[in-house]
Amino acid sequence: MIYITRRERFNAAHRLFRTEWSDQENKDMFGGCANPNWHGHNYELFVTVKGKINPQLGYVMNLKDLSSLIKAKVIEKLDHKNLNLDVDFLKDVMTSTENVAIAIWQQLETPIRELGVELHGVKLMETENNFVEYFGETN
Ligand code: NI
């Protein structure tokens, strides 16, 4: 088994807030991510899949195919969008990096399996210093 990773990037707006809290309470909890008029991040997404090397080709899968799949299922839905308002699979989700990473996993798991490999991990960087990794565990 070997692991390969494809990086994709998108930028998107969002806001972390609870509607029942005041702007000040949201700011105290979520900092700059609570800005009432939204703000953006340049996200980096790393999708790692695992599989066996095809002996004829020397690789697990064509990374171009993986890139196309990630773009179709995730990037086109998130890039230049408002994560709180524009994305069907983030409806009613607090758009924390954690929750977005899990939602991305859910978008990719089945279609990646259909390509003949298994999704191993999703790493989502919100800033160069803050990132989340998800490996499909439900608890
Ligand atoms: Ni933010």
Side-chain angles (χ1 to χ4, degrees):
M1 194 68 80
I2 195 158
Y3 299 73
I4 56 174
T5 299
R6 173 73 192 182
R7 179 185 73 160
E8 301 288 345
R9 290 183 279 196
F10 62 94
N11 57 66
H14 84 145
R15 182 188 178 205
L16 295 180
F17 70 110
R18 299 203 60 86
T19 51
E20 69 271 28
W21 293 358
S22 69
D23 283 352
Q24 188 60 50
E25 286 172 318
N26 277 305
K27 189 173 179 225
D28 290 345
M29 178 58 70
F30 300 115
C33 280
N35 181 36
N37 290 329
W38 315 104
H39 66 282
H41 294 283
N42 295 315
Y43 291 91
E44 281 190 80
L45 171 65
F46 296 81
V47 176
T48 301
V49 303
K50 60 184 173 183
K52 289 191 166 32
I53 295 174
N54 179 323
Q56 284 182 312
L57 305 177
Y59 56 56
V60 174
M61 67 173 300
N62 191 327
L63 279 173
K64 215 183 251 184
D65 294 340
L66 182 59
S67 173
S68 298
L69 188 151
I70 299 166
K71 285 194 174 104
K73 299 289 178 186
V74 174
I75 303 300
E76 285 173 10
K77 295 180 178 180
L78 302 184
D79 190 36
H80 287 70
K81 298 287 168 48
N82 182 315
L83 300 182
N84 293 63
L85 302 178
D86 298 331
V87 184
D88 53 358
F89 65 80
L90 293 176
K91 197 171 182 319
D92 301 323
V93 171
M94 177 80 83
T95 57
S96 62
T97 316
E98 290 88 332
N99 284 339
V100 176
I102 290 170
I104 289 171
W105 172 285
Q106 290 166 345
Q107 296 306 300
L108 292 177
E109 186 179 20
T110 300
I112 281 178
R113 188 171 295 135
E114 288 165 358
L115 290 178
V117 295
E118 288 290 317
L119 179 58
H120 171 70
V122 165
K123 174 173 157 182
L124 183 61
M125 301 188 71
E126 189 183 68
T127 71
E128 58 186 300
N129 295 321
N130 297 336
F131 63 88
V132 162
E133 291 176 285
Y134 184 61
F135 300 101
E137 294 153 320
T138 51
N139 53 29

